[in-house]
């Protein structure tokens, strides 16, 4: 029996979407007003003001243990546009999970799990998976990206490389670059060849943009920019319902440009979900490079 062409087309698009998710990371909407922070008045000295705002930016990070939401993925990669429903499940310092579903049917096409020690990509369509640590995936290794870097981007927070949180004493490592854009606080941190920049609103002290830049003598410059909007209340803090990732890189040997948009329909602190992915013996383990080649040819 011949398969429905629409289903075949969706499967191919879904497989490309899964590849895009790994490449990107391997760096009526629900709105609510931002409540004024109930902290002491800021000092009058300009430098002290910015330093106090930096403390507020750091303290605005969501302190929930879980972030869960249904969403829509949109991916533009090298001129090709794909979209699919999905979900986001995150547990602090444990996992970031992206899932893709078949429209209307709701069955899972695939998932990507980022944990502190490894990356797991599951292709439900072909019963295949890859499982590798961060040092064996070229894009992540060449751009010095680990789990905590990804967590900071998905959780809309500042980052100290290799650490699961930023303490007040860590803030001395950051530099404040003054006004690049009116009404914004510009924050920067250098770590070897990897540079981090954040732009936060000076009134709400919420991060609106994060930019990671990596300079390589052999691979050139790679950039990953994250833009955040549509903040909504989560616990006592605010979390963005819209996250847009823009990536440009040559780290994998070829120049790639991609934009992935995550539009959350809702967000909660639900903890009733399993952070462990268990696969049956029907799934075949594939080397990451082989899987990339396969997906690129679909």
């Amino acid at each position: 029996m011949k398969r429905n062409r629409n289903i075949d087309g969706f499967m191919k698009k879904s497989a490309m979407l899964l590849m895009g998710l790994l490449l990107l990371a391997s760096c009526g909407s629900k709105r609510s007003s931002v409540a004024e922070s109930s902290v002491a008045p800021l000092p009058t000295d300009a430098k002290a003001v910015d330093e106090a705002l930096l403390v507020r930016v750091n303290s605005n990070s969501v302190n929930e243990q879980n972030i869960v939401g249904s969403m829509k993925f949109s991916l533009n990669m090298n001129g090709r546009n794909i979209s699919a429903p999905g979900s986001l499940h995150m547990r602090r310092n444990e996992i970031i999970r992206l899932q893709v579903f078949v429209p209307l049917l709701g069955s899972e096409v695939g998932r990507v799990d980022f944990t502190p020690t490894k990356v797991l990509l599951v292709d439900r369509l072909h019963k295949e998976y890859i499982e590798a640590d961060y040092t064996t995936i070229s894009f992540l290794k060449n751009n010095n990206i680990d789990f905590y870097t990804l967590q900071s981007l998905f959780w809309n927070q500042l980052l100290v490389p290799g650490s699961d949180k930023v303490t007040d004493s860590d803030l001395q490592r950051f530099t404040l670059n003054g006004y690049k854009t009116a009404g914004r606080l510009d924050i920067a941190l250098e770590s070897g060849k990897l540079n981090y920049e954040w732009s936060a609103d000076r009134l709400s002290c919420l991060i609106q943009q994060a930019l990671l830049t990596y300079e390589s003598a052999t691979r050139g410059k790679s950039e990953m920019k994250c833009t955040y909007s549509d903040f909504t209340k989560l616990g006592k803090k605010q979390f963005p319902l819209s996250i847009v990732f823009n990536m440009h890189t040559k780290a994998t040997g070829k120049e790639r440009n991609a934009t992935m948009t995550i539009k959350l329909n809702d967000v909660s602190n639900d903890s009733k979900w399993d952070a462990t992915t268990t696969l049956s013996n029907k799934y075949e383990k594939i080397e990451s490079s082989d899987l990339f080649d396969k997906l690129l040819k679909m």
Side-chain angles (χ1 to χ4, degrees):
M1 181 180 295
K2 295 184 178 179
R3 300 176 65 183
N4 185 287
R5 292 183 178 179
N6 291 332
I7 294 177
D8 284 340
F10 175 76
M11 288 182 173
K12 291 182 178 181
K13 290 182 179 181
S14 299
M16 182 181 172
L17 178 59
L18 289 174
M19 177 190 68
L21 292 175
L22 189 56
L23 287 174
L24 279 171
S26 356
C27 187
S29 64
K30 297 181 180 180
R31 297 174 179 263
S32 67
S33 60
V34 178
E36 295 183 0
S37 180
S38 57
V39 299
L42 290 172
T44 56
D45 176 75
K47 180 180 179 181
V49 167
D50 283 358
E51 290 175 346
L53 289 175
L54 177 59
V55 173
R56 289 190 187 180
V57 170
N58 190 44
S59 65
N60 271 342
S61 175
V62 171
N63 51 19
E64 301 295 323
Q65 187 66 21
N66 296 275
I67 298 178
V68 175
S70 62
M71 61 181 176
K72 177 182 178 181
F73 288 120
S74 296
L75 176 67
N76 183 309
M77 187 165 61
N78 295 328
R80 299 181 66 180
N81 294 292
I82 306 168
S83 63
S87 70
L88 174 67
H89 286 72
M90 301 192 294
R91 184 163 291 161
R92 185 179 294 278
N93 299 331
E94 189 172 342
I95 192 171
I96 300 166
R97 174 177 293 159
L98 300 168
Q99 293 171 275
V100 180
F101 304 127
V102 178
L104 301 179
L105 298 178
S107 56
E108 185 181 73
V109 175
R111 67 173 59 183
V112 183
D113 284 357
F114 297 99
T115 71
T117 59
K118 66 182 181 181
V119 179
L120 174 68
L121 186 148
V122 180
D123 180 356
R124 300 290 190 191
L125 298 178
H126 303 96
K127 295 292 188 292
E128 296 173 345
Y129 72 97
I130 65 171
E131 186 175 37
D133 63 44
Y134 291 83
T135 61
T136 60
I137 298 177
S138 60
F139 174 76
L140 300 178
K141 178 182 178 181
N142 293 335
N143 289 294
N144 199 30
I145 293 176
D146 62 8
F147 172 79
Y148 298 109
T149 301
L150 296 174
Q151 180 170 261
S152 73
L153 296 176
F154 277 93
W155 285 68
N156 184 234
Q157 62 187 29
L158 299 176
L159 165 73
V160 170
S163 177
D164 61 353
K165 63 180 178 180
V166 178
T167 65
D168 286 347
S169 61
D170 289 328
L171 296 180
Q172 298 177 10
R173 299 178 55 179
F174 294 81
T175 59
L176 301 172
N177 297 329
Y179 290 87
K180 288 185 178 178
T181 305
R184 301 278 285 270
L185 177 69
D186 298 303
I187 307 162
L189 178 69
E190 293 186 10
S191 177
K193 297 180 180 179
L194 191 58
N195 297 319
Y196 305 85
E197 296 181 64
W198 297 269
S199 294
D201 182 83
R202 296 183 73 91
L203 293 178
S204 67
C205 292
L206 294 171
I207 296 173
Q208 298 179 327
Q209 182 177 289
L211 175 64
L212 278 64
T213 306
Y214 184 80
E215 294 281 357
S216 170
T218 57
R219 299 289 187 178
K221 184 168 72 172
S222 297
E223 290 186 342
M224 181 182 290
K225 181 174 69 173
C226 300
T227 305
Y228 310 93
S229 60
D230 296 335
F231 285 85
T232 191
K233 189 174 182 180
L234 179 60
K236 296 181 179 180
K237 304 296 178 67
Q238 302 284 321
F239 188 79
L241 291 177
S242 176
I243 307 176
V244 180
F245 295 84
N246 288 282
M247 185 193 72
H248 170 78
T249 184
K250 294 181 180 179
T252 56
K254 296 181 180 179
E255 183 172 359
R256 300 186 185 281
N257 295 283
T259 299
M260 184 181 75
T261 302
I262 292 176
K263 290 284 188 180
L264 287 159
N265 301 312
D266 51 56
V267 65
S268 74
N269 58 3
D270 178 29
S271 62
K272 296 179 181 179
W273 54 279
D274 190 354
T276 303
T277 295
T278 302
L279 300 175
S280 71
N281 55 15
K282 294 181 180 181
Y283 283 79
E284 179 184 0
K285 185 175 183 179
I286 305 295
E287 295 298 324
S288 60
S289 58
D290 294 337
L291 183 59
F292 279 134
D293 290 342
K294 179 180 179 180
L295 291 175
L296 285 169
K297 292 177 182 178
M298 293 187 69

